[in-house]
Amino acid sequence: HHRCRACRMHCQHQAQPCHDAALSLSGTLPSGEEARAWTIRSSTGTSVEIMNVGATILKLNTKDRTGELGDIVLGHQDEMRYLQDTNYFGGIVGRVANRIKDGRMVVGGKEYELDCNNGANHLHGGTVGFDKRVWNCRRIRNGLEFSLLSRDDEEGYPGDCQVTARYTLVGDVLTLEMRARSMSATPVNLAQHSYFNLAGHASGNVLGHDVQLFADKYTPMEQQIPTGEVRGVEGSAFDLREPSCLGKKIEQLAREKGLSIEYDEENNFLLKDGKELEEEDEEAGPRCPAPIGFDDNFVVRNRKQSLLERILSLGREQMHPVAKVVERKTGRTMLVESNAPGVQFYTANFLCGVRGKEGSVYLQHGGLCLETQHFPNSINADAESEFGKGACPIIDQGKEYFHKVRYTFGTI
């Protein structure tokens, strides 16, 4: 078994199948398929490495304020770990991202039972979701297009579903466009599940990052399932409308939940009862701290367009600012924009001694996810309610699912 080694190729302008390019290969997967990866580079030096297993982002190199490149996404050392990964590092999750309560949904008046792979609930498309599948790939201008056919009854979902994920990199802007079509009614809600650490994937925790969410509301949960309420963020730890130190916000969140946890800003770690939270790596038998932090869906604020913007955007989905992240030591910044109504903000609360790239070990809060999406469990929502406005789309013959997300990298 050989570890996955991506070929280092500049994007070509003409479209051609990826298998025609001179790629290095990994070992054969248990299915007999091969895991392959490609690197897209832009004129500014930014690069992204993407694998056909899960259309997964393996590496993402951006410059810090001194011009030095660094990999800012968490990931595994070799491709086999992605097939067993329960953290969903860098993959596209689906057919429906996030949780569906009890794995039950009603589509077209018929009830379906889905694979329950997260306790009593269905999570991120099931045990073998899109992040565990081998996608087809072709080169396109400035990027790669991955495609996948999800068959009727996979993980319990109805209908064949044809999915594409198109990554393009121009300058310091990485864009992902996800589309899906089906000849019969089926829900689709795809999300990109990268864990970002703007100081570098192996640099430790993200507690010192400043995070801003362009969201005035969030959807409260009970046992990781939204209650159906949409609540304002004002006056709570969920108010991230202004740039906020993540460690301080997690301290506030913990206190609102009655936990005695403090953020030591000077040393950049969390204290419980005055002591640093303990962790060990998975080989030694992890003794993980309780999962504390954000794992919540926020309602993205709709930006008002000018008349000219409305005219220019006719026939196109409107993009909204979702989040901005700043890491002050390196100066790296990231702006996330999307056309989706929600974003799952997750602070890697369940990471516990996961062995990653280059011999690194990822601990709790080692990264943060900004998963643009339709709302969790919204397939079962009342379409007329405020929560229902973010409901998971159901596509049918003639309808196309389209989800676009754009990441812009910079420095301060």
Side-chain angles (χ1 to χ4, degrees):
H1 176 75
H2 303 284
R3 287 176 174 170
C4 186
R5 293 290 185 265
C7 71
R8 311 298 188 187
M9 297 185 64
H10 291 276
C11 266
Q12 298 175 359
H13 291 308
Q14 69 274 22
Q16 64 176 18
C18 285
H19 58 74
D20 285 351
L23 302 177
S24 58
L25 305 178
S26 72
T28 303
L29 301 173
S31 63
E33 299 166 292
E34 292 179 339
R36 300 180 176 187
W38 299 264
T39 296
I40 313 167
R41 296 185 192 279
S42 79
S43 57
T44 62
T46 298
S47 67
V48 60
E49 181 177 283
I50 311 170
M51 179 172 62
N52 61 344
V53 178
T56 296
I57 294 177
L58 299 180
K59 296 180 181 179
L60 179 54
N61 286 287
T62 69
K63 290 180 180 178
D64 65 12
R65 66 162 62 91
T66 69
E68 184 175 342
L69 287 166
D71 183 6
I72 61 168
V73 293
L74 278 58
H76 295 295
Q77 183 65 29
D78 66 72
E79 75 287 348
M80 289 298 292
R81 295 296 294 270
Y82 286 91
L83 294 174
Q84 305 147 6
D85 183 18
T86 55
N87 293 297
Y88 305 93
F89 284 158
I92 290 181
V93 294
R95 189 175 299 190
V96 172
N98 221 302
R99 291 175 178 85
I100 296 177
K101 185 179 180 182
D102 300 328
R104 294 179 179 271
M105 65 177 190
V106 176
V107 176
K110 181 179 178 181
E111 183 172 307
Y112 293 89
E113 293 188 14
L114 306 174
D115 171 50
C116 290
N117 61 321
N118 182 242
N121 302 317
H122 175 85
L123 176 65
H124 290 330
T127 302
V128 186
F130 291 175
D131 64 298
K132 305 292 189 295
R133 295 281 307 280
V134 177
W135 296 53
N136 297 315
C137 178
R138 70 184 186 98
R139 286 181 105 43
I140 58 173
R141 181 171 179 148
N142 298 324
L144 298 164
E145 183 179 87
F146 295 87
S147 60
L148 178 73
L149 176 61
S150 176
R151 292 289 188 185
D152 177 44
D153 202 36
E154 276 186 17
E155 306 300 302
Y157 286 101
D160 289 353
C161 186
Q162 182 67 50
V163 182
T164 62
R166 175 179 287 216
Y167 290 95
T168 55
L169 179 64
V170 178
D172 297 319
V173 180
L174 175 65
T175 302
L176 170 60
E177 294 180 333
M178 295 171 278
R179 301 175 187 270
R181 287 186 176 274
S182 179
M183 296 299 287
S184 52
T186 191
V188 180
N189 183 19
L190 307 180
Q192 217 298 330
H193 207 290
S194 284
Y195 289 67
F196 297 96
N197 185 328
L198 299 190
H201 77 95
S203 65
N205 67 52
V206 294
L207 297 174
H209 284 45
D210 290 339
V211 178
Q212 180 180 16
L213 297 183
F214 297 91
D216 302 312
K217 300 175 182 179
Y218 73 106
T219 56
M221 296 187 302
E222 289 181 4
Q223 298 181 326
Q224 297 184 301
I225 299 292
T227 62
E229 179 189 359
V230 175
R231 184 183 299 173
V233 299
E234 189 171 357
S236 74
F238 295 93
D239 191 348
L240 292 152
R241 292 175 294 181
E242 298 296 327
S244 307
C245 172
L246 185 53
K248 291 180 181 179
K249 277 295 178 180
I250 291 178
E251 174 187 315
Q252 182 184 353
L253 182 68
R255 290 187 174 182
E256 288 176 6
K257 293 183 177 182
L259 301 173
S260 125
I261 288 179
E262 297 176 46
Y263 174 57
D264 183 332
E265 188 171 2
E266 183 178 350
N267 296 298
N268 192 40
F269 54 63
L270 293 173
L271 300 167
K272 184 176 183 181
D273 300 323
K275 297 180 181 178
E276 185 179 359
L277 299 180
E278 290 185 319
E279 294 191 74
E280 298 176 7
D281 69 42
E282 58 189 6
E283 269 72 6
R287 185 167 68 249
C288 300
I292 181 66
F294 292 93
D295 189 7
D296 298 272
N297 175 64
F298 288 77
V299 181
V300 176
R301 182 189 309 146
N302 284 334
R303 183 176 64 86
K304 291 183 179 179
Q305 287 184 304
S306 67
L307 177 60
L308 178 59
E309 285 178 315
R310 288 200 299 271
I311 293 170
L312 292 174
S313 65
L314 284 175
R316 292 185 296 171
E317 292 279 349
Q318 185 183 352
M319 299 285 283
H320 304 285
V322 174
K324 185 170 185 180
V325 185
V326 176
E327 204 287 307
R328 296 194 175 277
K329 287 185 179 179
T330 63
R332 289 193 183 96
T333 66
M334 178 177 71
L335 173 67
V336 181
E337 300 166 281
S338 176
N339 65 343
V343 59
Q344 188 81 9
F345 178 43
Y346 174 52
T347 52
N349 313 325
F350 292 94
L351 268 189
C352 183
V354 175
R355 294 211 175 271
K357 296 179 281 191
E358 301 166 349
S360 58
V361 177
Y362 303 135
L363 302 177
Q364 188 179 59
H365 309 131
L368 59 87
C369 301
L370 292 160
E371 308 155 51
T372 56
Q373 62 178 8
H374 286 77
F375 300 168
N377 196 46
S378 58
I379 188 68
N380 296 313
D382 175 5
E384 301 301 316
S385 67
E386 186 176 6
F387 183 82
K389 292 176 183 176
C392 173
I394 295 176
I395 60 170
D396 207 333
Q397 187 172 359
K399 290 184 180 178
E400 181 183 60
Y401 168 88
F402 178 61
H403 177 187
K404 183 175 181 179
V405 56
R406 183 165 57 220
Y407 308 91
T408 303
F409 304 101
T411 56
I412 56 168

